[in-house]
Amino acid sequence: DQQVKQNSPSLSVQEGRISILNCDYTNSMFDYFLWYKKYPAEGPTFLISISSIKDKNEDGRFTVFLNKSAKHLSLHIVPSQPGDSAVYFCAASYSRDKYIFGTGTRLKVLA
Amino acid sequence: SAVISQKPSRDICQRGTSLTIQCQVDSQVTMMFWYRQQPGQSLTLIATANQGSEATYESGFVIDKFPISRPNLTFSTLTVSNMSPEDSSIYLCSVEGQGSYGYTFGSGTRLTVV
């Protein structure tokens, strides 16, 4: 039973355009969400987070949107840069000591 | 945030053997976590390692297959025992981040069992 789903395994975007990565979850008890970025041969690195009391959190080019009624969150990257090419994981938690991860979306930003 | 050194970075092992993965943190941490990422799958928590006590294993993972040591607040090992090709995965250790930063991960160990 996959509680956190990233239904798009890959995404290609032109440099300068917006990248939108999506994540759906099934457990309404989740109250904290994170996005991680992973380059090959490296561990995932934290990118941005959002708690369930908010519907938007922004950090530079990265914005995460949370729609609790739809149990959906998305990560927007504007403008996309070639260095953003990586695998992006969303993760959800209801206790902040255990996170459930999605399967990841491989983003390729084309120069 | 903490800096984690994990080794080996990769290994190719014969089935039936065991591999021990080491994780060193540059600061003292209460909990360390071991994850597995099988090909095309999500990161799955194997166990939580607390210093001075037995590790807590998630459903589907057992101590005989994945024994863990946590001798002090900066170090942990995970052993993958009696390996089979199904154990081929990336294994990652992690620690709690600071504030809202979730986990900090090591660079991972890519294990291939032949």
Side-chain angles (χ1 to χ4, degrees), chain B residues 49-61:
Chain B
N50 291 319
Q51 195 269 333
S53 63
E54 293 282 336
T56 303
Y57 288 83
E58 298 299 306
S59 176
F61 298 97

Side-chain angles (χ1 to χ4, degrees), chain A residues 5-84:
Chain A
K5 300 178 184 179
Q6 293 176 258
N7 292 318
S8 298
S10 64
L11 174 68
S12 292
V13 172
Q14 284 294 133
E15 180 179 7
R17 308 293 287 268
I18 184 171
S19 295
I20 300 176
L21 296 96
N22 294 304
C23 181
D24 297 293
Y25 60 96
T26 59
N27 190 338
S28 58
M29 296 295 290
F30 288 144
D31 60 0
Y32 200 70
F33 305 88
L34 303 96
W35 283 94
Y36 282 85
K37 178 170 70 175
K38 183 181 185 302
Y39 293 118
E42 296 182 12
T45 55
F46 170 81
L47 192 57
I48 193 168
S49 65
I50 189 167
S51 79
S52 59
I53 63 173
K54 294 185 175 182
D55 55 16
K56 176 183 175 181
N57 189 27
E58 191 172 353
D59 184 1
R61 295 186 297 114
F62 302 91
T63 303
V64 56
F65 295 92
L66 175 63
N67 183 332
K68 291 185 288 294
S69 61
K71 297 191 181 70
H72 177 84
L73 66 155
S74 61
L75 175 68
H76 293 209
I77 307 174
V78 183
S80 301
Q81 300 174 354
D84 297 328

Side-chain angles (χ1 to χ4, degrees), chain B residues 33-55:
Chain B
F33 306 90
W34 287 97
Y35 277 84
R36 178 176 75 179
Q37 184 188 10
Q38 294 179 300
Q41 303 296 313
S42 61
L43 283 75
T44 303
L45 181 63
I46 297 172
T48 302
N50 291 319
Q51 195 269 333
S53 63
E54 293 282 336

Side-chain angles (χ1 to χ4, degrees), chain B residues 82-105:
Chain B
N82 189 25
M83 288 183 286
S84 67
E86 291 72 34
D87 295 320
S88 298
S89 296
I90 298 173
Y91 292 85
L92 299 133
C93 67
S94 67
V95 302
E96 288 180 298
Q98 296 179 350
S100 62
Y101 300 130
Y103 291 159
T104 299
F105 284 88

